[in-house]
Amino acid sequence: MPEPEATGTERDAASPGSTSGSPSPRSIAAWVLVGLVGAIGWGVLALSRGEEISAAWLLAAALGSYAIGYRFYSRFIADRVLKVDATRATPAERLDNGVDFHPTDRRVLFGHHFAAVAGAGPLVGPVLAAQMGYLPGTIWIVAGVIFAGAVQDMVTLFFSTRRDGRSLGQMARDEIGPVGGAAALIAVFAIMIILLAVLALVIVNALAHSPWGVFSIGMTIPIAVFMGFYLRVLRPGRVTEVSVIGVALLLLAIVAGGWVAESSFADTFTLEKETLVIWMVVYGFLASVLPVWMLLAPRDYLSTFMKVGTIALLAIGVVIAMPTLKMPSVTDFAARGDGPVFAGSMFPFVFITIACGALSGFHALVSSGTTPKMIQKETQVRMIGYGAMLTESFVAVMAIIAACIIEPGLFFAVNSPGGIIGTTVESASQAVGNFGFAIPPEALAQAAKDVEEATLLSRTGGAPTFALGMSEIFSAVAGGAGMKAFWYHFAIMFEALFILTTLDAGTRVGRFMLQDTLGNVHKSFKDVSWKPGVWFASAIVVAGWGYFLWVGVKDPLGGINQLFPLFGIANQLLAAVALAVCTTLLIKSGRLKWAWVTGVPLVWDATVTLTASYQKIFSEDVKVGFFAQRDKYQAGIDADKVLPPAKNMGDMHTVVTNATVDGVLCALFALLIIVVLADAARTCLKAVRDPGSATLSETPWTESKIVAPAGLIATAEERAELAAADRDAGGGHVKEPVA
């Protein structure tokens, strides 16, 4: 079999299962029907003029669009743009060491990848963006994922797989150049620490004083270890068996969590925030250093059943209960930019607030971290990279539905800060009425009583709102109003489980990134499984996000609370780095005519994110601009006045410091990204003018000995190939013939 050209130009072989021959009339009819469902859904959403419409139409628009995007656009990218090669060995096959590099059943890997990328973003971002109405956020979630987010994840995964699973920052250094690469390495690692600390803070807030959540989520760790040994030692390759056992144990753990919460053991599992921080740091370190098959992959796979299962049931609940969207399609806040949930106009801040679910730079870290070191075949990048991102986007759609089916007055009472709506239901009712959404004080009190909470006022952050919407849907289907409290607290626990899997995988990805960076100084770190490097880099990463988390838990204005306002912008700046690297690699590898696939999303993301950065730095609106906020509080200090949310003069000084730090870091991150983009443009221009000068760090072609399907369900051709190789549905190495 011929090897690829030395320049790295791709082979023309199509992936198994790719289109061959003409589609059948039945297939054409089916896809026309899918397209019509999506089109009708969008039509109903677009033509509504103030009347309440069923959330099922939003569901139809999203699902129809996802199906068309995956079937046609992702296949086009895999077959025509990337030209994935089923005959090429992946790093998992060539470098298999049972620690970081390990060929993993595509179903398990899909679960790991989805669980790793699906964190707080798709749950809370769309909820907060609902301030602008349900339509702007929904359009960005669906269009953004099809043409930007899923493309970024898939293409990054492909190019990292071709480079022995190198991290995003290292690929930038290798392919763009030392200047842009150095800027990317600094920006990516700094942003990574901030993102992990923010995710960890959400988990701590969700699990504090929750024995049910702590017990149920804690039990997923021993269950995952059991599943890992079951697949590797007891019953290798028996994914279906271990899935059934794992799900049964998971459901038992969830039910048992409720028993524990009502038992004498409740105090044992009722943990303070500081204690949770310590346990999370320990867990993050262990998940980073243990073999990937032992804890990380099976736990993420197990969590995916919980995540996807709950969201699927929520979608079914929408179809059965048919709740209406009570939030307007577009609110006045979209034009005015003075919303109480977050300040700023619809452009650019809806596209910053909704990151995960549409386009997220964090995903590129996982796609160039754990997943490329575990993937069996190149042909699986479509299902894992593009497919997992579509799945996460569907989570975001369900989140925006959950936020928009509750009364708008309740939504704004829950998501507005106490400094705006006050601390009583009377003051909140009056403040929300001033926004244009009436809700009586009695309704606010009853909403809290229904879910057995003392109050729902100013429960900001998005998670409580999602839980409210989820309880509304589930109680309408099962149990009625009497079950609202149960479903609300179940949703809170579900959100903590949802986010924790991102933290452990993110820590391991951070370790890979740091080792790649240190490998430029000391070559031993290039081996990401080198034990001293593994332990050292893991300790640095958990110490980084652990420090900001610890201080944030101890001080409401310190630690990660200080950096929280940078979360959205930092994440989208990271996406700009990933798309710049992907566009550069497409051009350098001779795919100039297809560079628009990542180039167009890059231009959009850079425009949105740098515009937001500019406004956060230079805006004179104290609700938007960091330095404007600093000046306001500094003036208060000079006048010896205490301004909310500060409670004393010490808090005033802290707010000034925080605003200054946020403004400087925002400017620094934006400058680093501009350097990356400029250097990438220089490299691309050079490659276009002189294609022969383009050099790639791509690993040479090696023939694969693994047989495995490209998608979740094997095609007839793939089943025949598996049978010929005496392999089951999970695939694996071709058995050598007996002499």
Side-chain angles (χ1 to χ4, degrees):
M1 186 171 292
E3 295 187 13
E5 298 175 18
T7 60
T9 302
E10 304 305 318
R11 307 173 75 246
D12 292 329
S15 63
S18 60
T19 52
S20 57
S22 301
S24 66
R26 181 180 298 178
S27 175
I28 293 175
W31 284 107
V32 168
L33 180 61
V34 170
L36 284 174
V37 168
I40 292 172
W42 283 116
V44 172
L45 294 177
L47 296 175
S48 66
R49 292 294 182 268
E51 68 275 17
E52 292 183 3
I53 62 173
S54 172
W57 290 115
L58 196 155
L59 205 60
L63 290 175
S65 302
Y66 292 153
I68 296 294
Y70 183 77
R71 171 59 179 81
F72 296 101
Y73 193 50
S74 72
R75 175 167 286 185
F76 160 75
I77 295 173
D79 293 351
R80 299 289 299 278
V81 180
L82 302 180
K83 296 180 180 176
V84 294
D85 186 357
T87 68
R88 189 186 189 110
T90 64
E93 179 179 356
R94 290 185 293 100
L95 306 175
D96 183 9
N97 60 9
V99 179
D100 296 313
F101 294 91
H102 178 65
T104 304
D105 186 292
R106 70 200 183 284
R107 295 163 293 186
V108 176
L109 187 57
F110 178 91
H112 158 72
H113 186 81
F114 169 74
V117 300
L123 292 176
V124 302
V127 170
L128 302 180
Q131 168 182 265
M132 303 294 190
Y134 64 78
L135 197 55
T138 300
I139 292 174
W140 170 233
I141 289 169
V142 177
V145 73
I146 291 172
F147 297 109
V151 174
Q152 172 206 253
D153 293 12
M154 177 184 177
V155 177
T156 302
L157 176 58
F158 172 80
F159 282 126
S160 180
T161 301
R162 284 283 175 98
R163 285 155 180 77
D164 287 345
R166 287 294 182 208
S167 66
L168 176 64
Q170 188 61 37
M171 285 198 295
R173 186 182 187 279
D174 292 342
E175 303 292 353
I176 293 178
V179 177
L185 285 169
I186 295 170
V188 169
F189 189 75
I191 292 171
M192 176 92 178
I193 295 298
I194 294 174
L195 298 184
L196 290 176
V198 168
L199 294 172
L201 181 64
V202 176
I203 299 167
V204 168
N205 289 336
L207 292 183
H209 308 110
S210 173
W212 184 7
V214 169
F215 177 85
S216 298
I217 291 175
M219 286 303 297
T220 62
I221 297 173
I223 293 172
V225 172
F226 166 75
M227 292 174 66
F229 278 96
Y230 191 96
L231 278 177
R232 187 173 178 87
V233 180
L234 300 178
R235 300 276 286 173
R238 304 292 183 177
V239 175
T240 303
E241 285 181 18
V242 80
S243 299
V244 172
I245 296 171
V247 170
L249 291 174
L250 175 62
L251 293 175
L252 178 61
I254 293 170
V255 174
W259 300 338
V260 167
E262 300 296 329
S263 73
S264 58
F265 293 101
D267 289 343
T268 304
F269 293 94
T270 302
L271 303 182
E272 298 294 330
K273 291 184 177 182
E274 293 84 353
T275 306
L276 282 168
V277 171
I278 295 171
W279 279 113
M280 287 172 58
V281 167
V282 171
Y283 170 72
F285 181 81
L286 291 176
S288 179
V289 302
L290 288 176
V292 70
W293 59 266
M294 185 182 297
L295 175 59
L296 189 66
R299 188 183 180 283
D300 288 350
Y301 178 62
L302 177 66
S303 298
T304 296
F305 281 100
M306 175 71 171
K307 293 181 176 185
V308 175
T310 301
I311 293 299
L313 289 175
L314 196 58
I316 294 171
V318 168
V319 174
I320 295 173
M322 299 290 283
T324 58
L325 297 168
K326 295 182 173 61
M327 185 71 73
S329 57
V330 181
T331 69
D332 293 340
F333 296 126
R336 298 204 309 260
D338 60 349
V341 180
F342 64 90
S345 57
M346 184 174 69
F347 179 88
F349 289 105
V350 160
F351 309 100
I352 297 299
T353 304
I354 299 178
C356 302
L359 171 64
S360 170
F362 180 80
H363 293 198
L365 303 182
V366 179
S367 293
S368 61
T370 53
T371 305
K373 299 176 179 65
M374 300 161 67
I375 195 167
Q376 292 172 311
K377 306 290 287 185
E378 271 192 10
T379 49
Q380 295 171 352
V381 300
R382 176 185 175 219
M383 181 265 289
I384 293 171
Y386 202 97
M389 181 55 184
L390 286 186
T391 307
E392 189 198 32
S393 182
F394 184 58
V395 175
V397 166
M398 296 312 302
I400 207 165
I401 287 176
C404 293
I405 63 167
I406 64 176
E407 290 293 338
L410 178 58
F411 171 88
F412 285 104
V414 173
N415 289 283
S416 300
I420 294 177
I421 65 171
T423 57
T424 67
V425 290
E426 289 78 15
S427 64
S429 174
Q430 182 178 353
V432 170
N434 294 334
F435 300 155
F437 302 102
I439 185 168
E442 297 78 15
L444 292 174
Q446 186 61 46
K449 184 178 179 181
D450 287 343
V451 295
E452 297 180 7
E453 290 285 334
T455 180
L456 289 174
L457 302 183
S458 301
R459 298 290 298 275
T460 56
T465 304
F466 177 81
L468 278 173
M470 189 170 168
S471 68
E472 193 78 26
I473 294 169
F474 277 156
S475 63
V477 176
M483 286 291 288
K484 274 190 177 181
F486 170 83
W487 290 121
Y488 176 84
H489 291 283
F490 172 84
I492 293 294
M493 186 218 48
F494 164 75
E495 290 172 299
L497 173 66
F498 207 100
I499 301 166
L500 186 57
T501 52
T502 304
L503 183 67
D504 53 19
T507 300
R508 197 179 189 99
V509 170
R511 188 254 286 182
F512 290 148
M513 191 186 311
L514 183 57
Q515 285 184 267
D516 274 348
T517 303
L518 295 175
N520 297 314
V521 179
H522 193 290
K523 292 190 179 296
S524 296
F525 282 98
K526 288 287 186 184
D527 178 5
V528 293
S529 298
W530 179 54
K531 292 298 183 185
V534 169
W535 288 70
F536 176 76
S538 297
I540 295 296
V541 173
V542 296
W545 63 257
Y547 166 77
F548 287 111
L549 177 61
W550 177 265
V551 177
V553 164
K554 301 286 286 185
D555 180 2
L557 294 177
I560 194 53
N561 297 304
Q562 179 186 52
L563 303 175
F564 200 97
L566 292 173
F567 178 82
I569 287 179
N571 191 36
Q572 298 303 72
L573 287 173
L574 199 53
V577 174
L579 290 167
V581 170
C582 290
T583 304
T584 302
L585 283 169
L586 285 175
I587 293 174
K588 288 180 66 175
S589 59
R591 302 176 177 93
L592 176 61
K593 67 177 180 179
W594 304 124
W596 58 267
V597 170
T598 55
V600 172
L602 169 61
V603 172
W604 168 257
D605 180 59
T607 301
V608 166
T609 313
L610 292 177
T611 299
S613 299
Y614 180 88
Q615 292 187 17
K616 296 299 286 185
I617 296 167
F618 296 107
S619 175
E620 296 181 358
D621 184 347
V622 295
K623 294 181 179 180
V624 177
F626 289 130
F627 292 117
Q629 185 184 64
R630 180 199 63 184
D631 293 343
K632 174 185 176 180
Y633 281 83
Q634 185 60 55
I637 293 173
D638 296 340
D640 200 27
K641 293 181 179 179
V642 177
L643 307 175
K647 297 179 180 179
N648 51 54
M649 198 54 67
D651 287 350
M652 291 286 290
H653 285 282
T654 301
V655 172
V656 169
T657 300
N658 290 355
T660 304
V661 169
D662 287 339
V664 170
L665 285 178
C666 186
L668 176 61
F669 288 155
L671 180 61
L672 288 171
I673 301 310
I674 291 172
V675 170
V676 173
L677 295 177
D679 209 17
R682 177 193 60 80
T683 301
C684 291
L685 185 61
K686 180 181 178 182
V688 171
R689 289 177 172 174
D690 184 9
S693 66
T695 58
L696 296 170
S697 60
E698 187 175 287
T699 304
W701 180 88
T702 303
E703 184 176 5
S704 174
K705 301 294 184 182
I706 288 180
V707 174
L712 285 176
I713 301 174
T715 64
E717 180 184 348
E718 290 169 339
R719 288 195 296 271
E721 189 178 13
L722 289 167
D726 194 22
R727 300 282 82 181
D728 62 15
H733 284 86
V734 176
K735 291 185 176 181
E736 297 295 334
V738 179

